[in-house]
Amino acid sequence: MNLTFLLSSIQLIGVLLPLVSFVAMFRRQQIKASMNYMFSNMSLMLTNLGCLIINASYWLLIWSKTEDGAFIALKMEYLGNVLFYLSFILFIATYFKMQTKAMVVVPMLLQSVLDGLLVINLWIDDPFHVVFKNLEFGKWDVFSVTYMRAEPGVLYLVRYCTLCMILFWGLLYTLLKMFRMRIPQERNNMAKLAGAEFVICMSLQIMLFFRVPFDVVPISAALSILSIILGVLKGEFFNFADQGREWVIEHSDNVFVIVDSLYGYLDANPKAKRVFPELPFMGKNKQL
């Protein structure tokens, strides 16, 4: 098989997977659902959108004919990169109902600052060379495509090391919750989430510690969230009938606290959170 065709096919798959998934998820949004569901689903859709931007930009980069075109594609890729990782971390936090906890808010604020600095520096052509000490584009003769040769700068290293630590902590937390979970469906969902986190962590490690001419992050990002999105579309992660009932409960003037079969906390309506102020700070499946 022609190697150029193989590389092009791989990257085209990386573009099509998030595109089809985004359209499918957008069409399934037409339902009155609880606020937590809408927030979780929106963060997953933004993750998917970021993944689409990463893959489409990288496809443009590798087929660019000029260095200027490749650099513009690189800028767009990092916009998608920032959107993907922040939205994915937010999805994990909302899934475990930890988005208001300091242990999540503080790292996300730190990561947001680093991401903002990275994007700003790239879009003003990195004048202080804090993102890349040296950046070159060349032609990869084996595949007849453009590749990037870069020496990481201090901001690049700090940003990605911080991101790796956050994602690795999220992976450990997910695995801990998965092994302690007794409900098969929830355990299966957490296994899919842990698998996605593992793939993302490994792709970051490869790009940080090994110099490879082909960026594995775009296709890894697309594959990592595929099982989660399929689970959402099949109603495994968020059952749409249940979410419709939760919407009714959420707008009720009565107190409702939703628990699993082992009396672990899942959610509560606004009335219950006003009556019991500690509820918004409880983790998912925590025993009441």
Side-chain angles (χ1 to χ4, degrees), residues 68-82:
D68 288 341
F71 193 49
I72 292 173
L74 180 67
K75 293 178 180 180
M76 292 301 300
E77 182 184 348
Y78 272 90
L79 281 178
N81 183 292
V82 167

Side-chain angles (χ1 to χ4, degrees), residues 35-201:
M35 287 301 296
N36 190 71
Y37 163 76
M38 292 177 64
F39 200 48
S40 297
N41 207 41
M42 185 58 66
S43 61
L44 187 58
M45 288 184 69
L46 289 175
T47 303
N48 205 38
L49 178 60
C51 181
L52 175 60
I53 295 172
I54 292 173
N55 279 277
S57 300
Y58 188 60
W59 187 87
L60 290 174
L61 188 155
I62 63 177
W63 295 111
S64 295
K65 301 299 183 183
T66 65
E67 287 193 10
D68 288 341
F71 193 49
I72 292 173
L74 180 67
K75 293 178 180 180
M76 292 301 300
E77 182 184 348
Y78 272 90
L79 281 178
N81 183 292
V82 167
L83 180 61
F84 173 80
Y85 287 115
L86 285 179
S87 300
F88 184 66
I89 294 170
L90 184 60
F91 172 74
I92 296 171
T94 54
Y95 181 75
F96 289 111
K97 301 189 186 300
M98 295 177 64
Q99 64 268 28
T100 58
K101 291 183 178 291
M103 62 189 300
V104 171
V105 173
V106 173
M108 281 204 66
L109 286 176
L110 174 60
Q111 189 63 46
S112 299
V113 171
L114 293 173
D115 285 346
L117 290 173
L118 181 136
V119 169
I120 290 171
N121 273 279
L122 267 183
W123 277 82
I124 58 175
D125 298 333
D126 198 16
F128 306 107
H129 301 286
V130 290
V131 180
F132 300 112
K133 289 182 181 179
N134 184 46
L135 179 65
E136 297 177 352
F137 296 99
K139 279 294 180 181
W140 193 6
D141 294 333
V142 177
F143 292 104
S144 302
V145 296
T146 300
Y147 72 94
M148 183 180 76
R149 184 188 296 114
E151 183 180 355
V154 60
L155 180 57
Y156 181 97
L157 292 173
V158 171
R159 187 253 181 176
Y160 272 102
C161 287
T162 304
L163 184 58
C164 282
M165 286 188 289
I166 293 173
L167 290 171
F168 186 68
W169 178 87
L171 174 60
L172 290 179
Y173 185 85
T174 304
L175 290 173
L176 178 63
K177 296 289 287 186
M178 183 184 74
F179 288 122
R180 295 176 61 182
M181 176 55 59
R182 299 180 184 178
I183 303 172
Q185 183 59 61
E186 277 291 287
R187 191 186 304 116
N188 183 51
N189 291 340
M190 290 180 187
K192 291 178 181 178
L193 186 56
E197 292 170 302
F198 177 77
V199 171
I200 292 172
C201 283

Side-chain angles (χ1 to χ4, degrees), residues 17 66 102 227 248 252:
L17 283 178
T66 65
S227 61
V248 175
S252 173

